Amino acid sequence: MKMLTHSEAAAMLVRASERGQLRLLSDVRHPSGAIQMRWRVGGMTLDEVFPPHGAECTHSLAGAQ
């Protein structure tokens, strides 16, 4: 599992979208207000968690070589 910065994750999503390789697997809003999104980016999975109240979001990439 590799952790990405917000700008790295955003750039990866944009590139994958432009290539037609982006698919949203799940989009869950937790009772706490946090939002968790899971994307299929090519052959990898990108998990994003956006905590409530503007706290720092996290981005983790599984399947990275």
Side-chain angles (χ1 to χ4, degrees):
M1 183 92 45
K2 178 181 178 183
M3 299 303 289
L4 302 175
T5 66
H6 184 73
S7 61
E8 289 171 329
M12 176 178 277
L13 291 173
V14 168
R15 283 192 309 272
S17 177
E18 291 171 346
R19 295 179 184 145
Q21 298 178 334
L22 180 64
R23 188 168 62 124
L24 181 63
L25 299 176
S26 65
D27 181 2
V28 178
R29 181 176 295 272
H30 296 278
S32 67
I35 299 171
Q36 180 178 6
M37 300 174 83
R38 177 168 282 178
W39 299 91
R40 172 64 67 187
V41 182
M44 299 175 284
T45 302
L46 176 66
D47 286 311
E48 297 184 295
V49 177
F50 299 90
H53 313 297
E56 184 78 20
C57 54
T58 61
H59 310 276
S60 57
L61 185 63
Q65 302 290 330

